[in-house]
Amino acid sequence: MQTDGQPLPGVSYVMPVLNEVTEVRAAVASLLDQDYSGVFEVILALGPSIDGTNELVAEMSAADPRIRAIDNPVGSTPAGLNVAIRASVHPVVVRVDAHSVLPPDYTRIAVRTLLESGADNVGGIMRAEGRSPFERAVALAYGSRVGLGGTPHHVGGTAGPAETAYLGVFRRDRLFEVGLFDEGIKRGQDWELNRRLRQTGGTVWFTPELVVTYRPRPSLKRLVRQFVATGLWRGELARRFPANNGLRYFVPPAMVAAMAVGILAGIVGIIGAALGSPVAWALLGFAVPAVYLLFVIVGSVAVARRSGVATFLWLLVVLPCIHVGWGLGFIIGFLTRTSELTTHTGR
């Protein structure tokens, strides 16, 4: 790494790419436009895309020798990250997502913070930005406490040690010391890697100076699929590492379980009332989903009051899809070996 008066350390950008033909060009362009004065390389790990992504990357690589494309036959995110990291040559590894656009000062600030803090990994804020009313609703959910709970890498906070970090700017040698990403974990692999970095004496550092633009999934179907998959793997991680999970991870599954019980109780109450049974009091079970519905409405009003009617209406749909999808996925993942499920849980 750098000492005073010496050149800045070289940087290797690593990006797993699978079926991202609409986003990958902007993501790569943001890397080439960095104002970092050190040397760098861009390594794209290409999965078996079927939408023309690999052909587009081949054109980009032919036009700029700083862009290198390597095969990721497995296709998963952690496998792609690992093959790219192994192919890298510089002491600083910058993880990049094909859905993310880095501001021009990202690498400069990140490397400076890495050197000043002595951390093994530095990350910042994922600022979701949508282009349609639906995407803007998703972005509002991402960046609000009523959506994803208000963690620092979504809503900001004070610089300092953190549990995990969005994307990540790593010391390459430490990645190899802890064994790189666990390829058996298709989602949540960042959290698990950061757990190993911290357990081996390292530091994960959050800084609000780093802000990355993130493009949300463009459809409700893809959003639900994303959050069910994320919940599945978070449930599995909670089962694998019970001592390393905060209480906030259990809020969505608890909410889903409470609503399921409340709805079932309410149905029993309806049947009981129709039959004149004393269990008619079970109708009170409907109060649980009613309270949650009120939470969604009030939260949507608070978050989307200046965003237009269309975005507000979409937020009323997006919030339950995120909460219920994530919570249901968590329950299934906690009770079942996620790695054995046939559901596709990658991107």
Side-chain angles (χ1 to χ4, degrees), residues 31 40 86 140 142 168 172 180 217 221 268 302 329 338 343:
L31 308 182
F40 72 92
R86 292 189 184 102
L140 288 173
Y142 266 76
R172 184 175 183 271
L180 301 180
R217 299 297 192 273
K221 179 180 178 180
V268 170
T338 303
T343 304

PDB file of all heavy atoms in Angstrom, residues 31 40 86 140 142 168 172 180 217 221 268 302 329 338 343:
ATOM      1  N   LEU A  31     -16.454   3.850 -14.286  1.00  0.00           N
ATOM      2  CA  LEU A  31     -15.123   3.448 -13.825  1.00  0.00           C
ATOM      3  C   LEU A  31     -14.035   4.149 -14.630  1.00  0.00           C
ATOM      4  O   LEU A  31     -13.029   4.618 -14.080  1.00  0.00           O
ATOM      5  CB  LEU A  31     -14.953   1.931 -13.941  1.00  0.00           C
ATOM      6  CG  LEU A  31     -16.032   1.063 -13.294  1.00  0.00           C
ATOM      7  CD1 LEU A  31     -15.706  -0.408 -13.459  1.00  0.00           C
ATOM      8  CD2 LEU A  31     -16.202   1.426 -11.829  1.00  0.00           C
ATOM      9  N   PHE A  40      -4.992   1.579 -13.041  1.00  0.00           N
ATOM     10  CA  PHE A  40      -6.154   0.736 -12.762  1.00  0.00           C
ATOM     11  C   PHE A  40      -6.422  -0.222 -13.898  1.00  0.00           C
ATOM     12  O   PHE A  40      -5.904  -0.068 -15.018  1.00  0.00           O
ATOM     13  CB  PHE A  40      -7.394   1.597 -12.501  1.00  0.00           C
ATOM     14  CG  PHE A  40      -7.953   2.272 -13.730  1.00  0.00           C
ATOM     15  CD1 PHE A  40      -8.947   1.672 -14.494  1.00  0.00           C
ATOM     16  CD2 PHE A  40      -7.487   3.522 -14.124  1.00  0.00           C
ATOM     17  CE1 PHE A  40      -9.469   2.291 -15.625  1.00  0.00           C
ATOM     18  CE2 PHE A  40      -7.999   4.152 -15.257  1.00  0.00           C
ATOM     19  CZ  PHE A  40      -8.988   3.535 -16.004  1.00  0.00           C
ATOM     20  N   ARG A  86      -8.941 -13.159  -8.528  1.00  0.00           N
ATOM     21  CA  ARG A  86      -7.760 -13.977  -8.800  1.00  0.00           C
ATOM     22  C   ARG A  86      -7.012 -13.476 -10.035  1.00  0.00           C
ATOM     23  O   ARG A  86      -5.783 -13.599 -10.124  1.00  0.00           O
ATOM     24  CB  ARG A  86      -8.167 -15.441  -8.996  1.00  0.00           C
ATOM     25  CG  ARG A  86      -8.675 -16.120  -7.727  1.00  0.00           C
ATOM     26  CD  ARG A  86      -8.852 -17.618  -7.925  1.00  0.00           C
ATOM     27  NE  ARG A  86      -9.439 -18.240  -6.736  1.00  0.00           N
ATOM     28  CZ  ARG A  86     -10.704 -18.596  -6.620  1.00  0.00           C
ATOM     29  NH1 ARG A  86     -11.545 -18.401  -7.627  1.00  0.00           N
ATOM     30  NH2 ARG A  86     -11.142 -19.151  -5.497  1.00  0.00           N
ATOM     31  N   LEU A 140     -37.383   4.990  -3.228  1.00  0.00           N
ATOM     32  CA  LEU A 140     -37.834   5.572  -1.957  1.00  0.00           C
ATOM     33  C   LEU A 140     -37.859   4.517  -0.853  1.00  0.00           C
ATOM     34  O   LEU A 140     -37.493   4.784   0.294  1.00  0.00           O
ATOM     35  CB  LEU A 140     -39.226   6.181  -2.128  1.00  0.00           C
ATOM     36  CG  LEU A 140     -39.305   7.485  -2.935  1.00  0.00           C
ATOM     37  CD1 LEU A 140     -40.763   7.872  -3.172  1.00  0.00           C
ATOM     38  CD2 LEU A 140     -38.576   8.608  -2.213  1.00  0.00           C
ATOM     39  N   TYR A 142     -35.966   1.840  -0.697  1.00  0.00           N
ATOM     40  CA  TYR A 142     -34.580   1.536  -0.358  1.00  0.00           C
ATOM     41  C   TYR A 142     -34.008   2.562   0.618  1.00  0.00           C
ATOM     42  O   TYR A 142     -33.284   2.212   1.555  1.00  0.00           O
ATOM     43  CB  TYR A 142     -33.715   1.545  -1.621  1.00  0.00           C
ATOM     44  CG  TYR A 142     -33.541   0.194  -2.266  1.00  0.00           C
ATOM     45  CD1 TYR A 142     -34.565  -0.373  -3.017  1.00  0.00           C
ATOM     46  CD2 TYR A 142     -32.352  -0.507  -2.143  1.00  0.00           C
ATOM     47  CE1 TYR A 142     -34.408  -1.600  -3.631  1.00  0.00           C
ATOM     48  CE2 TYR A 142     -32.183  -1.746  -2.749  1.00  0.00           C
ATOM     49  CZ  TYR A 142     -33.207  -2.280  -3.495  1.00  0.00           C
ATOM     50  OH  TYR A 142     -33.047  -3.502  -4.087  1.00  0.00           O
ATOM     51  N   GLY A 168     -17.761  -2.338  -1.668  1.00  0.00           N
ATOM     52  CA  GLY A 168     -16.539  -2.559  -0.922  1.00  0.00           C
ATOM     53  C   GLY A 168     -15.287  -2.231  -1.707  1.00  0.00           C
ATOM     54  O   GLY A 168     -15.173  -2.528  -2.904  1.00  0.00           O
ATOM     55  N   ARG A 172      -6.375  -6.218  -1.224  1.00  0.00           N
ATOM     56  CA  ARG A 172      -6.395  -7.505  -1.932  1.00  0.00           C
ATOM     57  C   ARG A 172      -5.784  -8.632  -1.104  1.00  0.00           C
ATOM     58  O   ARG A 172      -6.301  -9.763  -1.088  1.00  0.00           O
ATOM     59  CB  ARG A 172      -5.652  -7.368  -3.258  1.00  0.00           C
ATOM     60  CG  ARG A 172      -5.674  -8.612  -4.148  1.00  0.00           C
ATOM     61  CD  ARG A 172      -5.000  -8.311  -5.485  1.00  0.00           C
ATOM     62  NE  ARG A 172      -5.067  -9.437  -6.396  1.00  0.00           N
ATOM     63  CZ  ARG A 172      -4.153 -10.414  -6.459  1.00  0.00           C
ATOM     64  NH1 ARG A 172      -3.120 -10.388  -5.614  1.00  0.00           N
ATOM     65  NH2 ARG A 172      -4.282 -11.395  -7.333  1.00  0.00           N
ATOM     66  N   LEU A 180     -11.371 -15.352   0.172  1.00  0.00           N
ATOM     67  CA  LEU A 180     -12.263 -14.771  -0.837  1.00  0.00           C
ATOM     68  C   LEU A 180     -13.731 -14.980  -0.470  1.00  0.00           C
ATOM     69  O   LEU A 180     -14.062 -15.290   0.675  1.00  0.00           O
ATOM     70  CB  LEU A 180     -11.957 -15.349  -2.230  1.00  0.00           C
ATOM     71  CG  LEU A 180     -10.528 -15.142  -2.753  1.00  0.00           C
ATOM     72  CD1 LEU A 180     -10.377 -15.761  -4.141  1.00  0.00           C
ATOM     73  CD2 LEU A 180     -10.142 -13.672  -2.781  1.00  0.00           C
ATOM     74  N   ARG A 217     -34.480  -2.724  -9.774  1.00  0.00           N
ATOM     75  CA  ARG A 217     -35.076  -3.632 -10.747  1.00  0.00           C
ATOM     76  C   ARG A 217     -36.257  -2.935 -11.421  1.00  0.00           C
ATOM     77  O   ARG A 217     -37.025  -2.230 -10.770  1.00  0.00           O
ATOM     78  CB  ARG A 217     -35.548  -4.920 -10.077  1.00  0.00           C
ATOM     79  CG  ARG A 217     -34.432  -5.725  -9.412  1.00  0.00           C
ATOM     80  CD  ARG A 217     -33.410  -6.203 -10.438  1.00  0.00           C
ATOM     81  NE  ARG A 217     -32.499  -7.185  -9.881  1.00  0.00           N
ATOM     82  CZ  ARG A 217     -31.373  -6.900  -9.241  1.00  0.00           C
ATOM     83  NH1 ARG A 217     -31.021  -5.642  -9.045  1.00  0.00           N
ATOM     84  NH2 ARG A 217     -30.585  -7.870  -8.797  1.00  0.00           N
ATOM     85  N   LYS A 221     -42.199  -8.033 -10.833  1.00  0.00           N
ATOM     86  CA  LYS A 221     -41.828  -9.453 -10.799  1.00  0.00           C
ATOM     87  C   LYS A 221     -40.370  -9.617 -10.397  1.00  0.00           C
ATOM     88  O   LYS A 221     -40.024 -10.449  -9.547  1.00  0.00           O
ATOM     89  CB  LYS A 221     -42.079 -10.086 -12.167  1.00  0.00           C
ATOM     90  CG  LYS A 221     -41.692 -11.558 -12.235  1.00  0.00           C
ATOM     91  CD  LYS A 221     -41.964 -12.122 -13.628  1.00  0.00           C
ATOM     92  CE  LYS A 221     -41.535 -13.586 -13.714  1.00  0.00           C
ATOM     93  NZ  LYS A 221     -41.797 -14.139 -15.075  1.00  0.00           N
ATOM     94  N   VAL A 268     -61.013 -18.065  11.230  1.00  0.00           N
ATOM     95  CA  VAL A 268     -61.677 -18.911  12.229  1.00  0.00           C
ATOM     96  C   VAL A 268     -62.804 -18.138  12.906  1.00  0.00           C
ATOM     97  O   VAL A 268     -63.899 -18.665  13.163  1.00  0.00           O
ATOM     98  CB  VAL A 268     -60.659 -19.416  13.275  1.00  0.00           C
ATOM     99  CG1 VAL A 268     -61.376 -20.081  14.452  1.00  0.00           C
ATOM    100  CG2 VAL A 268     -59.683 -20.384  12.635  1.00  0.00           C
ATOM    101  N   ALA A 302     -45.688   9.565   4.217  1.00  0.00           N
ATOM    102  CA  ALA A 302     -44.540  10.297   4.750  1.00  0.00           C
ATOM    103  C   ALA A 302     -43.370  10.321   3.781  1.00  0.00           C
ATOM    104  O   ALA A 302     -42.689  11.339   3.632  1.00  0.00           O
ATOM    105  CB  ALA A 302     -44.103   9.682   6.079  1.00  0.00           C
ATOM    106  N   GLY A 329     -39.191 -15.243   2.510  1.00  0.00           N
ATOM    107  CA  GLY A 329     -37.949 -15.890   2.109  1.00  0.00           C
ATOM    108  C   GLY A 329     -37.093 -16.248   3.308  1.00  0.00           C
ATOM    109  O   GLY A 329     -36.512 -17.336   3.375  1.00  0.00           O
ATOM    110  N   THR A 338     -31.129 -23.541   2.070  1.00  0.00           N
ATOM    111  CA  THR A 338     -31.362 -22.740   0.875  1.00  0.00           C
ATOM    112  C   THR A 338     -30.569 -23.256  -0.319  1.00  0.00           C
ATOM    113  O   THR A 338     -31.042 -23.223  -1.455  1.00  0.00           O
ATOM    114  CB  THR A 338     -30.974 -21.275   1.157  1.00  0.00           C
ATOM    115  OG1 THR A 338     -31.729 -20.817   2.283  1.00  0.00           O
ATOM    116  CG2 THR A 338     -31.261 -20.390  -0.030  1.00  0.00           C
ATOM    117  N   THR A 343     -35.162 -23.099  -6.445  1.00  0.00           N
ATOM    118  CA  THR A 343     -35.443 -21.716  -6.863  1.00  0.00           C
ATOM    119  C   THR A 343     -34.150 -21.012  -7.220  1.00  0.00           C
ATOM    120  O   THR A 343     -33.185 -21.086  -6.492  1.00  0.00           O
ATOM    121  CB  THR A 343     -36.126 -20.935  -5.719  1.00  0.00           C
ATOM    122  OG1 THR A 343     -37.285 -21.649  -5.329  1.00  0.00           O
ATOM    123  CG2 THR A 343     -36.506 -19.535  -6.177  1.00  0.00           C
TER     124      THR A 343
END
